[in-house]
Amino acid sequence: NCTFEGNTADDYGGGMTNDTSSPTLTTCTFTKNSASAGGGIANYASNPMFENCTFTANFAEFSGRGMNNDSSNPTLTDTTVCGNTPDQIYGDWTDGGGNTIADECPIDCPDINGDGYVNVTDLLVVIDQWGLTDSPADLNQDGIVDVTDLLIVVGNWGPCP
């Protein structure tokens, strides 16, 4: 239940670096971290385990924006790695099942105001936040509230599942 957010490293592992270690992380979030390699996390000669973790919106200049694995083989189970610029995972890893690895993050329910419904209230929030960055109305997490976010709201109109 840990959060690594907004951290920066000059070399490897903006959020965390594992060097000849193999921790188990459960229900952890790596968001908006940056480094030369391994924006979210860098693993060197390590075999960590990630269960129910999320790696989103991390950045690395060279490789492994979400995760960089050098001489490592982490195991991911029920983990989401998405929306990291521009690649998700560099190097080997073991699929423990239930993972989502994608360039764009899935949107479960774009209910911005949290009332359980996608409706005109959410649409008005998108319009109000139009053109802003770092906004909850940036539903696809591309860095700006724009027509794509508006279409996500319209396309999911109704009660949340």
Side-chain angles (χ1 to χ4, degrees):
N1 294 316
C2 48
T3 300
F4 300 86
E5 184 174 357
N7 300 291
T8 302
D10 290 334
D11 287 328
Y12 296 93
M16 180 180 187
T17 298
N18 293 312
D19 187 346
T20 60
S21 63
S22 298
T24 297
L25 286 87
T26 306
T27 317
C28 291
T29 303
F30 292 80
T31 305
K32 298 180 182 175
N33 300 294
S34 63
S36 292
I41 193 166
N43 299 304
Y44 177 74
S46 300
N47 298 311
M49 300 194 59
F50 300 95
E51 185 173 333
N52 196 33
C53 292
T54 303
F55 293 81
T56 59
N58 297 292
F59 174 78
E61 187 176 350
F62 299 111
S63 63
R65 277 61 177 187
M67 180 182 296
N68 189 82
N69 301 317
D70 186 8
S71 301
S72 299
N73 192 0
T75 299
L76 281 65
T77 306
D78 297 322
T79 291
T80 299
V81 185
C82 64
N84 300 288
T85 307
D87 64 348
Q88 307 312 310
I89 301 175
Y90 174 82
D92 296 331
W93 62 283
T94 298
D95 186 352
N99 297 304
T100 299
I101 313 297
D103 288 340
E104 291 188 27
C105 295
I107 299 168
D108 293 329
C109 180
D111 175 23
I112 302 168
N113 70 339
D115 66 358
Y117 293 90
V118 179
N119 56 25
V120 70
T121 306
D122 303 297
L123 187 64
L124 291 173
V125 172
V126 170
I127 292 168
D128 178 63
Q129 300 289 303
W130 197 268
L132 296 181
T133 59
D134 197 27
S135 167
D138 181 15
L139 298 170
N140 65 342
Q141 299 179 350
D142 68 350
I144 190 165
V145 180
D146 60 11
V147 69
T148 304
D149 303 299
L150 182 114
L151 292 173
I152 290 169
V153 169
V154 171
N156 289 278
W157 206 264
C160 292

